[in-house]
Amino acid sequence: MLIRIIILALFTYHTAHAQLFTISGYIKERSSKESVPGATIVVNDSQIGTVSNEYGFYSISTRLAPPFRIRYASMGYSPQEIEISQAINATINVDLDPVSFQLEGLVFKEKSLQSPEAFHIPLDRITNGPAFLGEKDIIKTLHHIPGVKMGMEGFASFYVRGGGMDQNLILLDDAPVYNANHVFGLFSAFNVDAIKNVTFWKDFIPARYGGRLSSVLSMQMREGNKEKMKTEGGIGLTSSRILIEGPLKKGKGSFLLAARRSYIDLLMKPFEPENLKQGFSFYDINAKGNWVFNPKNSLYLSLFYSKDNLSEDEYVQRISSNRDISRKMNWSNKTSSLRWNHQFNAKLFSNTTFYYSQYRYGISEENKYLNDNTLTHSDISYKSQLKDYSFKTDLDFYLSDRHTLTAGSQFTIHQFEPRYFSHQDKVSHNSNITDEHYINQELSLYMDDKFRFNDHLSANVGLRMSGLFTDSKTYIFPEPRVSVHYQWPEIGLVRLAYTRTNQFLHLLSNTGLGLSTDLYIPVTGEVIPPQADQISIGISKDFAEKEFSVTVESYRKWMRNIVTYKEGASFISFSDGPKDIPWQNNITFGNGLSYGTEVLVRKDVGQLTGWVGYTLSWTTNQFEEINNGKPFFSNSDRRHDVNITASYQLTEKLLLGMNWKYASGNYLTIPTAFSFGIKGNIGNLVSDPLNINTLDYFGSKNSYKAEDYHRLDLSLQLKNKKRRKWESYWEFSLYNAYWRKNPTYYYIQYRTNTLLEEQPQLKKKSLFPVIPGVSYNFKF
């Protein structure tokens, strides 16, 4: 409420003291009436202009005397120009026509109006690029952006500028998604068909976003076609998908429903032995509805649900005994967001959101063992979940053609259940149950001020005040954020940025893959929040005649109070019978440092589109209880990282796609020396020459550099003949086209030579050979 009063006061002041006239409205796609976010609105091909917000709303105020022209443009759409002949306030709604591919790109001065900190990922880069087993993946597209490192090969986990997986805020229609993985991370949980807009921040993060240290990935779901019913989908090797959209009332409201389901479990069944039944399946559902009450009020409801199920039933029968073991693992995401858009006037736009987010996983094992008529029957289960309830309001205030103010507040209740452990003996009815709950409350206020001093100098100054209230302690942190831009003639756009971020949760991970055994734990009085400071400086240059741009940026990031498992720690022990181990006994605190330089060459228009990225970086961590307190290279440290991604439109019906990636080997901890001893006394060695103990010495942590990584992916899209109401195309792809045997992990194998000496050998395991993919996609 306080923020609203301040904004309204500022609006009253500017109205009284400025002789401006304002043109505002909404930009939409002509055929579906869906909003077009990120469109540029430019006056007379000048630096005067603005960008539509995520709901397609724009407002531009000017003192220019008519007549003049306003140009509306967005990637993937034909631009449109409108003549303004009178100096009066006006509402102008614009419908843009989509194009299949754009030979004439945007004027590059129009691109300069967009935020230089945000990386906008065109959806055609995702849909037109190669796919793993035919599955398009938003998260894996991030792997090709400079500064973003992938985890293990083939998996969707990602690390940004030295940060951990939990340091990335992933938003779907403003609601956070805590585990964005299917199939242990082989695929992400987001159906590309249901997504309209993808924006990524990795250095300067606007003050409206908080709660993570390293990056923000914001995705908007499509709203649904307001004019007519449409259906599209695809059939792939591992899963199929379907999307249905249409009007609730023509021109007033629409709906969208998208679903995807795997059939990996069905493909596995013919190959399963009688005594071992395994099943794995995943599915996700996206739903959205919206209603326009009047030109100034709209309501949106978004729903998302994803779930993975893994099961294994094993039956072992012997002469006097039999054993029946049933194992289950599942994890799920659930989000819902209700958003109300309200336009107070031509200059003031608000969005109010209530969202709910839940992440849950569980592991269980039921063991029945019958031996000589003696029954042993036990049940072990481990569950964890995290819930968020949040209310937030955002205000966009368009003060003038050179000044935009955004502000807002957010209140969130975090409910943590990091562990529910149960071990039950169903014969004796004895049980051991551990349950743990935490409730934290988070309150944030923010303000972002974007202003352009002149045609060369502009800035974005923001401040976020974040407070966390736990049972035993209150944390309050200011988070200043500044980004200054100078458009240097003949050189390009020079940018200097500083960002401070805080995080109010931790992720404990043994694997770095985003598996369901990873634990989200809360901030408490003893477990303090992590914090990061980042500075960056960069320069970007647009080459309008060649229709491409070049960006070079250097950064340095300091991270404090980051948490990880102690060496050898685990959250469940089976050594002396199943028992739970408190996570508080397993963690250690430390600091991190990451720095480097990134280069990006990008081309978004023409028959050939794509980008080339290169990153040179260093990332070190230091924990008091790891590596004797000495700094060591992070597992995600890769000195050199090169990415090339491209699409080439050969003909109207034929599209080629290519991704190539090279990365220096990451750092691992492996034995550096071995000692041998006799088990027992010397007589044991005489009776059994192989009765020898081997002791591994690991030396410094992450002192071994793994083999370099490189991979080529190819794709070919072949469109079928278009009919009146039916469009379709085939897609063929090759993952790891030249069959590079990249290491997924390393292990030690011992071999005994002729002198009865055990010789250790380092072996690598490669999981992914060349993998073909094929899918059939349709739309009607």
Side-chain angles (χ1 to χ4, degrees):
M1 181 61 68
L2 178 62
I3 295 293
R4 285 176 178 261
I5 293 174
I6 294 173
I7 296 297
L8 287 171
L10 285 172
F11 168 73
T12 303
Y13 175 84
H14 273 264
T15 302
H17 291 80
Q19 298 300 317
L20 300 172
F21 69 95
T22 302
I23 297 170
S24 63
Y26 291 85
I27 302 177
K28 299 182 180 181
E29 181 181 298
R30 187 181 303 277
S31 59
S32 66
K33 300 302 180 183
E34 282 215 26
S35 61
V36 179
T40 55
I41 301 93
V42 177
V43 177
N44 279 351
D45 290 335
S46 67
Q47 291 291 337
I48 300 175
T50 187
V51 177
S52 63
N53 69 9
E54 59 182 306
Y55 300 99
F57 176 78
Y58 76 94
S59 176
I60 185 168
S61 300
T62 181
R63 293 184 177 87
L64 285 179
F68 57 80
R69 292 173 291 106
I70 297 182
R71 176 183 168 93
Y72 300 84
S74 181
M75 294 299 300
Y77 295 90
S78 297
Q80 188 177 143
E81 291 190 355
I82 293 179
E83 187 83 15
I84 303 298
S85 57
Q86 300 181 55
I88 59 174
N89 296 331
T91 298
I92 300 178
N93 297 321
V94 177
D95 292 337
L96 298 180
D97 294 308
V99 294
S100 55
F101 64 94
Q102 199 158 326
L103 289 176
E104 293 186 9
L106 298 177
V107 177
F108 277 93
K109 67 178 67 176
E110 296 174 356
K111 288 178 61 180
S112 67
L113 294 172
Q114 297 178 338
S115 172
E117 300 91 3
F119 192 99
H120 300 278
I121 304 176
L123 279 178
D124 59 7
R125 284 277 6 108
I126 303 170
T127 57
N128 295 342
F132 181 72
L133 289 171
E135 287 292 329
K136 303 296 184 180
D137 201 309
I138 293 172
I139 302 295
K140 288 183 180 177
T141 303
L142 296 181
H143 293 169
H144 300 283
I145 298 175
V148 181
K149 307 292 179 68
M150 70 176 190
M152 190 176 291
E153 182 190 10
F155 293 85
S157 55
F158 67 101
Y159 306 85
V160 178
R161 290 185 169 179
M165 288 187 303
D166 60 319
Q167 296 179 13
N168 306 309
L169 178 61
I170 301 175
L171 298 173
L172 182 63
D173 276 357
D174 280 346
V177 179
Y178 283 98
N179 190 321
N181 294 330
H182 278 316
V183 200
F184 300 111
L186 285 176
F187 311 115
S188 73
F190 304 113
N191 185 345
V192 179
D193 291 345
I195 303 300
K196 175 173 68 174
N197 187 47
V198 182
T199 309
F200 182 65
W201 291 268
K202 61 183 170 70
D203 47 16
F204 175 85
I205 298 176
R208 64 178 296 183
Y209 299 110
R212 299 297 187 277
L213 296 189
S214 294
S215 74
V216 176
L217 174 65
S218 178
M219 294 170 286
Q220 285 180 265
M221 288 172 54
R222 289 167 51 184
E223 299 159 11
N225 196 310
K226 287 187 175 68
E227 298 296 305
K228 57 184 176 181
M229 293 290 296
K230 301 283 287 186
T231 302
E232 61 183 274
I235 303 171
L237 291 177
T238 58
S239 66
S240 293
R241 64 191 193 279
I242 188 74
L243 181 146
I244 302 172
E245 60 179 331
L248 294 171
K249 183 179 180 180
K250 193 170 182 179
K252 294 287 290 183
S254 61
F255 76 94
L256 178 142
L257 180 63
R260 181 173 55 161
R261 209 278 190 190
S262 72
Y263 28 77
I264 301 174
D265 51 340
L266 303 179
L267 297 174
M268 290 172 57
K269 276 189 176 181
F271 306 100
E272 293 178 345
E274 288 295 326
N275 64 330
L276 183 62
K277 300 297 181 183
Q278 295 177 314
F280 191 93
S281 64
F282 71 81
Y283 65 91
D284 51 64
I285 300 172
N286 296 76
K288 190 169 184 177
N290 70 93
W291 189 264
V292 180
F293 293 97
N294 54 52
K296 293 188 176 182
N297 292 279
S298 300
L299 196 67
Y300 300 84
L301 176 63
S302 305
L303 304 171
F304 168 68
Y305 184 70
S306 71
K307 189 170 185 178
D308 285 62
N309 292 293
L310 174 65
S311 64
E312 180 181 83
D313 294 317
E314 182 180 10
Y315 182 74
V316 180
Q317 184 173 15
R318 294 186 174 89
I319 296 176
S320 59
S321 66
N322 61 70
R323 172 171 288 177
D324 192 356
I325 305 173
S326 178
R327 303 181 182 94
K328 290 183 172 63
M329 181 184 292
N330 61 76
W331 59 97
S332 63
N333 294 281
K334 183 189 299 182
T335 70
S336 58
S337 56
L338 181 65
R339 297 185 288 176
W340 169 45
N341 287 175
H342 176 64
Q343 182 185 337
F344 288 95
N345 49 54
K347 291 187 175 184
L348 184 58
F349 181 92
S350 73
N351 176 57
T352 302
T353 303
F354 172 77
Y355 72 71
Y356 166 76
S357 178
Q358 180 193 61
Y359 170 57
R360 173 188 291 172
Y361 68 75
I363 309 168
S364 66
E365 178 178 298
E366 185 176 4
N367 196 325
K368 296 179 183 178
Y369 180 53
L370 182 63
N371 185 19
D372 294 330
N373 296 322
T374 301
L375 176 65
T376 302
H377 188 185
S378 63
D379 188 8
I380 306 165
S381 64
Y382 192 96
K383 300 176 184 178
S384 182
Q385 69 174 354
L386 168 60
K387 295 180 182 179
D388 282 353
Y389 301 87
S390 186
F391 179 83
K392 63 192 292 280
T393 182
D394 303 298
L395 295 163
D396 297 332
F397 186 22
Y398 301 88
L399 294 165
S400 70
D401 56 347
R402 296 180 180 271
H403 194 182
T404 301
L405 190 69
T406 61
S409 61
Q410 182 172 1
F411 177 72
T412 305
I413 298 175
H414 303 283
Q415 293 184 352
F416 291 87
E417 188 179 7
R419 54 179 185 150
Y420 171 87
F421 177 80
S422 172
H423 175 221
Q424 296 183 343
D425 188 325
K426 295 192 174 183
V427 177
S428 64
H429 301 291
N430 293 328
S431 62
N432 175 24
I433 297 177
T434 302
D435 197 5
E436 195 172 316
H437 297 270
Y438 299 86
I439 297 179
N440 288 346
Q441 300 176 48
E442 180 182 350
L443 176 63
S444 300
L445 302 173
Y446 81 87
M447 185 174 289
D448 261 319
D449 198 358
K450 301 178 184 178
F451 48 92
R452 182 185 294 271
F453 297 99
N454 50 50
D455 289 346
H456 300 290
L457 182 63
S458 61
N460 187 345
V461 179
L463 176 65
R464 184 180 182 91
M465 294 296 298
S466 298
L468 185 75
F469 309 94
T470 71
D471 289 341
S472 58
K473 191 171 183 179
T474 297
Y475 299 92
I476 298 178
F477 297 108
E479 300 178 13
R481 301 166 188 197
V482 181
S483 181
V484 180
H485 324 115
Y486 185 78
Q487 187 69 48
W488 205 315
E490 310 299 329
I491 295 178
L493 180 68
V494 180
R495 185 168 66 89
L496 178 64
Y498 165 76
T499 300
R500 167 166 286 190
T501 50
N502 291 278
Q503 185 165 315
F504 296 134
L505 53 77
H506 299 274
L507 178 69
L508 295 177
S509 175
N510 274 324
T511 63
L513 296 180
L515 302 184
S516 58
T517 54
D518 294 343
L519 277 166
Y520 277 104
I521 61 172
V523 168
T524 66
E526 295 75 32
V527 182
I528 56 181
Q531 186 178 82
D533 290 287
Q534 181 176 203
I535 59 172
S536 60
I537 183 169
I539 183 170
S540 60
K541 174 72 173 177
D542 295 326
F543 296 89
E545 294 182 0
K546 302 289 185 179
E547 294 186 331
F548 73 91
S549 62
V550 178
T551 300
V552 180
E553 187 170 76
S554 293
Y555 73 92
R556 193 174 187 93
K557 183 165 77 174
W558 298 265
M559 295 167 282
R560 296 173 292 278
N561 307 324
I562 55 178
V563 171
T564 189
Y565 277 123
K566 297 177 182 177
E567 290 184 309
S570 176
F571 63 91
I572 298 179
S573 172
F574 292 92
S575 58
D576 300 316
K579 62 181 179 181
D580 177 43
I581 300 176
W583 58 266
Q584 297 93 333
N585 299 342
N586 287 335
I587 62 175
T588 182
F589 294 87
N591 300 321
L593 173 65
S594 182
Y595 55 95
T597 298
E598 302 162 358
V599 180
L600 177 67
V601 180
R602 184 168 178 173
K603 187 176 187 296
D604 287 329
V605 295
Q607 286 181 280
L608 175 65
T609 60
W611 65 72
V612 178
Y614 169 71
T615 303
L616 172 66
S617 64
W618 289 260
T619 300
T620 58
N621 291 332
Q622 186 173 14
F623 294 88
E624 184 178 347
E625 299 182 64
I626 297 177
N627 200 43
N628 296 319
K630 299 177 181 178
F632 57 90
F633 288 117
S634 167
N635 290 337
S636 61
D637 183 290
R638 293 181 182 269
R639 188 71 60 248
H640 304 279
D641 197 87
V642 181
N643 295 281
I644 302 174
T645 175
S647 296
Y648 187 75
Q649 192 85 43
L650 280 173
T651 66
E652 186 179 351
K653 295 184 178 181
L654 200 60
L655 177 71
L656 298 177
M658 182 272 287
N659 292 333
W660 185 76
K661 184 176 186 65
Y662 167 86
S664 299
N666 57 337
Y667 288 89
L668 308 171
T669 303
I670 65 169
T672 58
F674 308 88
S675 61
F676 302 97
I678 302 168
K679 297 177 182 178
N681 53 44
I682 192 69
N684 290 335
L685 181 60
V686 175
S687 60
D688 183 2
L690 300 181
N691 204 355
I692 298 176
N693 263 331
T694 303
L695 178 64
D696 301 338
Y697 174 70
F698 287 89
S700 300
K701 185 173 178 62
N702 288 351
S703 57
Y704 178 79
K705 182 176 175 296
E707 192 176 307
D708 290 351
Y709 177 97
H710 51 90
R711 189 191 79 236
L712 173 68
D713 304 330
L714 300 172
S715 68
L716 172 67
Q717 286 186 12
L718 178 61
K719 290 187 177 181
N720 295 322
K721 184 178 180 180
K722 186 176 180 180
R723 305 187 183 185
R724 190 169 66 92
K725 293 186 177 181
W726 182 273
E727 296 179 50
S728 64
Y729 68 91
W730 286 92
E731 181 166 13
F732 307 91
S733 63
L734 285 177
Y735 178 89
N736 196 12
Y738 53 76
W739 204 330
R740 162 70 176 175
K741 293 183 178 180
N742 289 300
T744 303
Y745 62 87
Y746 288 85
Y747 63 97
I748 301 294
Q749 185 178 77
Y750 294 95
R751 295 186 180 276
T752 304
N753 61 18
T754 55
L755 299 176
L756 303 181
E757 296 173 337
E758 287 191 342
Q759 294 182 329
Q761 294 182 345
L762 182 64
K763 298 286 186 178
K764 73 173 182 179
K765 184 67 175 179
S766 300
L767 294 183
F768 300 104
V770 56
I771 300 178
V774 60
S775 64
Y776 176 73
N777 305 274
F778 57 87
K779 182 185 298 186
F780 61 90

